[in-house]
Amino acid sequence: MAKIQAPIKKGEAVHVSVADLTHEGKGVAKIDGYPLFIEGMLPGETGEVEVTKLNKGYGFAKLLRLEQKSPERVSPSCSVYEECGGCQLQHLSYAGQMEMKYNQVRNVMDRIAKLPDVPVHSVLGMEEPWRYRNKAQVPVGLSGGRLVAGFYKKRSHEIIDMTECLIQHEESDVMIQKVKDVCAANGVMSYDEQSHKGVLRHVMARIGYQTGEKMAVLITRTNELPNEQAIIAGIRREVPGITSIVQNVNPDKTNVIFGSKTRTLFGEDVIYDTIGSVKFAISARSFYQVNPVQTEVLYNKALEYAGLTGEETVIDAYCGIGTISLFLAQKAKQVYGVEIVPQAIEDARKNAELNGITNAYFEAGKAEEVIPAWYKQGIRPDVIVVDPPRKGCDEALLETILKMKPKRVVYVSCNPGTLARDLRVLEDGGYRTREVQPVDMFPQTVHVEAVAVLELR
Ligand code: SAH
């Protein structure tokens, strides 16, 4: 398709009518067929915008004046919504968000997977789509001579102080405030990116939703934490019931948050949480799903799609700390989990032990290498579950699945585009996609999670 030349100029003010939303939550309006993306505008809205950037084929504009408002427009609950950028859909009603996410999955099923007849169910959303996150990590800096902790202002390195984040657990907000106050009172200097001086870089707060356990992590540039004992005592006093205080040291000039050295300052090295009846130990560095309520909804759907009777051999590819594997192990004969991060595999083994689960085997490595090796060893799975990162499954893994011919494939995805691409490959290789269920793991943001089930024809 020929790319349309912009019929407008940069800096020009134009009148637009928005018809659609991009997957980043921007409104799309067309000027003589040329698409303009406008932050903060919703489908059905009209208004005046200023053109800010023109590319071949599409451009960007900034909203100047809204005329016709969408009935789905709501006023954002968060006072720093516009500066932060962590959420992108607070100006859209929750029902509107559900519709947008549904449309996104439906669209890629039609356009990319070429599966217009496959049923996509309406999104499983949250009853209370706020305060759902169990992990907050915030950068620390200096503003007006004061230690602040919050977020990077959109498209900048300026840290804005934040006292509450409405998608975080309330206790996380409290923990971060208290850690910040205690550190400031004890003369801890904030880290400065420019000069690579100072001490405190980030604060992380983690909560076990089911257990109520709380962990605070202080990420510092230096090994030494000045006034360590006073800080520990202060945090314990200000955050009653805290079960773990951890320091992580990151001496490098980098925007990666964590360093390699971790030491426990108080309490346990981990906090515990449960999903369904499976218990997990979560350390400062462990990957763990951030929305525990919806994780259970998602995993129950994956379990239902796996259709286990107790006799099956199951492979869980991209298994992380074994969350899905252990969930499935309760209903399967044997589960094999593979994951690229060795530390996560250690966590997975510990979690199996913690739950007395003996029919789960974990191996560290690339799914696309380990699974073919298992095949050679004679392992024949009845069901394969995949939960890949945003870029989707490796081609070699999809080929191996086609060779192994499990009865069912359950595909858990955090990126509808790559899900659709991979479903097409599996369809061409002899599988039929039975249905797709989107689950809202990240209310107020544009992220969409979905689970699909395929059967061998
Ligand atoms: N299923 C887990 C984690 C899913 S996130 C859960 O629900 O908690 C995707 C995981 O894939 C990450 O843990 C990442 O480290 C891992 N990963 C990325 N590339 C991989 C590869 N090529 N082989 C195996 N695992 C990989």
Side-chain angles (χ1 to χ4, degrees):
M1 205 166 66
K3 296 223 162 122
I4 305 169
Q5 284 295 324
I8 36 179
K9 289 199 185 68
K10 192 173 161 182
E12 196 177 331
V14 284
H15 193 268
V16 296
S17 170
V18 169
D20 214 345
L21 266 184
T22 68
H23 65 274
E24 291 165 316
K26 293 190 170 82
V28 189
K30 287 197 176 155
I31 312 273
D32 299 335
Y34 178 87
L36 271 184
F37 301 132
I38 311 138
E39 197 169 295
M41 280 190 91
L42 296 172
E45 295 190 329
T46 63
E48 200 174 22
V49 302
E50 182 189 317
V51 179
T52 53
K53 191 170 190 238
L54 294 171
N55 293 334
K56 270 222 179 84
Y58 63 94
F60 295 90
K62 166 174 99 188
L63 179 62
L64 296 175
R65 194 169 46 84
L66 199 56
E67 286 161 10
Q68 180 68 48
K69 277 191 191 171
S70 162
E72 296 303 326
R73 176 173 287 278
V74 293
S75 100
S77 303
C78 172
S79 60
V80 289
Y81 174 54
E82 255 125 67
E83 295 166 271
C84 169
C87 299
Q88 305 81 29
L89 296 178
Q90 281 198 25
H91 61 295
L92 178 59
S93 71
Y94 194 52
Q97 294 180 24
M98 295 289 91
E99 193 190 321
M100 174 215 172
K101 293 183 185 190
Y102 171 82
N103 288 339
Q104 214 181 303
V105 178
R106 181 70 270 170
N107 265 333
V108 296
M109 287 303 139
D110 297 350
R111 285 189 307 106
I112 302 176
K114 308 266 186 269
L115 295 168
D117 298 324
V118 163
V120 174
H121 300 292
S122 48
V123 182
L124 293 172
M126 295 190 83
E127 232 163 85
E128 178 55 41
W130 299 100
R131 297 290 188 189
Y132 58 83
R133 283 185 63 101
N134 58 11
K135 181 179 88 170
Q137 44 196 28
V138 302
V140 177
L142 207 62
S143 175
R146 226 163 42 87
L147 191 90
V148 295
F151 58 89
Y152 290 110
K153 189 174 169 178
K154 246 191 245 173
R155 292 176 285 272
S156 90
H157 276 237
E158 188 188 339
I159 295 168
I160 308 273
D161 203 27
M162 177 176 65
T163 50
E164 62 169 6
C165 172
L166 301 177
I167 61 170
Q168 292 292 352
H169 194 293
E170 284 94 339
E171 292 278 356
S172 286
D173 282 348
V174 173
M175 243 198 283
I176 286 169
Q177 290 309 306
K178 298 298 183 191
V179 169
K180 178 170 78 182
D181 292 349
V182 168
C183 286
N186 284 285
V188 176
M189 299 294 289
S190 62
Y191 174 67
D192 178 59
E193 258 183 349
Q194 294 292 316
S195 63
H196 193 54
K197 291 208 170 96
V199 175
L200 191 59
R201 301 174 71 127
H202 276 84
V203 176
M204 174 168 126
R206 245 179 172 168
I207 311 276
Y209 252 63
Q210 301 301 328
T211 58
E213 295 185 354
K214 296 180 243 184
M215 172 187 279
V217 185
L218 284 64
I219 298 125
T220 58
R221 180 184 65 85
T222 49
N223 277 319
E224 201 203 343
L225 180 64
N227 296 317
E228 181 178 308
Q229 289 313 317
I231 289 171
I232 296 168
I235 295 173
R236 289 183 61 192
R237 187 178 60 241
E238 297 293 329
V239 187
I242 191 163
T243 46
S244 170
I245 305 175
V246 172
Q247 181 191 4
N248 173 271
V249 183
N250 183 358
D252 298 335
K253 220 173 170 164
T254 168
N255 54 12
V256 172
I257 297 179
F258 283 96
S260 55
K261 225 188 297 175
T262 304
R263 108 190 138 100
T264 302
L265 302 177
F266 163 76
E268 293 212 52
D269 304 340
V270 296
I271 56 169
Y272 294 92
D273 199 20
T274 58
I275 301 175
S277 55
V278 187
K279 190 170 179 184
F280 294 95
I282 310 150
S283 70
R285 302 293 311 279
S286 299
F287 171 86
Y288 186 66
Q289 294 280 356
V290 295
N291 182 335
V293 172
Q294 291 299 86
T295 296
E296 191 171 344
V297 172
L298 180 73
Y299 289 1
N300 274 325
K301 199 35 96 173
L303 185 63
E304 178 196 320
Y305 282 168
L308 303 179
T309 62
E311 292 304 312
E312 292 81 4
T313 298
V314 181
I315 287 180
D316 179 15
Y318 309 93
C319 73
I321 60 165
T323 25
I324 296 179
S325 319
L326 298 178
F327 219 68
L328 297 171
Q330 305 172 95
K331 298 275 169 66
K333 185 161 128 215
Q334 175 68 38
V335 176
Y336 296 87
V338 54
E339 155 66 44
I340 202 165
V341 177
Q343 177 62 46
I345 288 295
E346 276 174 41
D347 286 349
R349 289 180 184 140
K350 277 189 217 148
N351 286 326
E353 206 178 297
L354 185 67
N355 290 281
I357 292 174
T358 53
N359 60 339
Y361 168 83
F362 294 102
E363 195 169 317
K366 289 185 181 168
E368 61 271 23
E369 290 171 4
V370 171
I371 297 175
W374 285 345
Y375 182 65
K376 279 206 192 106
Q377 289 163 30
I379 292 168
R380 298 288 178 269
D382 302 289
V383 181
I384 295 186
V385 179
V386 298
D387 182 9
R390 291 190 59 76
K391 67 173 192 231
C393 289
D394 193 275
E395 258 184 70
L397 174 63
L398 295 174
E399 274 164 33
T400 308
I401 293 176
L402 295 179
K403 233 193 282 169
M404 284 179 141
K405 294 192 176 15
K407 283 201 292 284
R408 265 186 295 285
V409 176
V410 178
Y411 195 131
V412 181
S413 162
C414 57
N415 182 347
T418 54
L419 167 68
R421 179 199 69 196
D422 292 348
L423 291 185
R424 176 47 36 216
V425 175
L426 294 170
E427 286 270 341
D428 291 342
Y431 281 84
R432 184 181 69 90
T433 309
R434 207 177 69 201
E435 57 189 77
V436 183
Q437 175 64 66
V439 177
D440 191 24
M441 301 282 278
F442 309 101
Q444 318 307 332
T445 81
V446 291
H447 300 289
V448 184
E449 192 96 10
V451 50
V453 57
L454 299 96
E455 278 162 355
L456 191 62
R457 277 182 206 273

